[in-house]
Amino acid sequence: MPFTLRPWAPADLPSLVRYANNPAIAQFMNDQFPHPYTEEDGRDFIALATEESPVNIMAIEVGGEAVGGIGLHVRANIERKNAELGYWLGEPFWGQGIITEAVRQMVDYGFRTFDITRIFARPFGTNPRSQRVLEKAGFVLEARFEKTFFKHGEYIDELIYAVRRP
């Protein structure tokens, strides 16, 4: 299915809230991604996503509406040559190859745009779909830390996948 990565805009608020307000997505996100996902949460996120230049957080657009998001967060200090990748996609669009290709495009954009040599992601050990997305996009599992994440009253393994600048 065709999609576009583009900057977020205030007009994306209704579709952002519609697709982000889903416990099946929130269960695999850090606690900054709330559930329920309200209009206020959406407004705050769009304000955050539109403040950086160059843009580091993009909307995933399908059929004229924002149905997910993907971002690169460049680290600071001694980690400054690294960026953390995060992403989510509305459930109706799962299993269509969109997020794998969005990850590939964001990696290419990240290496062209930022002074980084490594992009990493930290999927939950309980999220094999995200692990597979990263593997298909060329990421390699670098580490597994047992029970480092704590969400909904339970400990979850943290995986670290990374890709390096060619």
Side-chain angles (χ1 to χ4, degrees), residues 20-131:
N21 189 28
N22 182 338
I25 293 170
Q27 74 175 331
F28 295 119
M29 303 293 284
N30 72 35
D31 289 343
Q32 290 176 303
F33 192 101
H35 183 76
Y37 199 101
T38 66
E39 284 194 9
E40 182 180 347
D41 296 321
R43 278 191 293 277
D44 291 346
F45 171 76
I46 289 171
L48 172 77
T50 55
E51 70 183 9
E52 293 295 323
S53 182
V55 174
N56 69 314
I57 303 172
M58 306 270 196
I60 301 170
E61 179 184 295
V62 174
E65 64 177 350
V67 301
I70 189 164
L72 277 176
H73 307 280
V74 177
R75 306 296 280 222
N77 203 327
I78 61 172
E79 294 180 295
R80 66 186 167 271
K81 296 294 186 176
N82 296 270
E84 184 171 3
L85 174 72
Y87 51 85
W88 66 274
L89 185 66
E91 191 171 4
F93 304 93
W94 293 359
Q96 299 177 40
I98 293 170
I99 201 66
T100 300
E101 184 56 31
V103 167
R104 287 182 183 128
Q105 288 182 25
M106 197 66 172
V107 165
D108 181 60
Y109 172 80
F111 286 140
R112 283 186 291 108
T113 306
F114 302 103
D115 183 20
I116 56 174
T117 59
R118 177 176 169 266
I119 296 172
F120 69 95
R122 301 182 311 148
F124 292 8
T126 54
N127 191 350
R129 287 181 178 152
S130 188
Q131 296 163 38

Side-chain angles (χ1 to χ4, degrees), residues 131-149:
Q131 296 163 38
R132 184 72 188 123
V133 162
L134 293 166
E135 290 165 0
K136 288 192 296 186
F139 283 67
V140 174
L141 179 64
E142 291 187 339
R144 173 187 293 270
F145 298 103
E146 288 187 30
K147 298 179 170 58
T148 56
F149 292 150

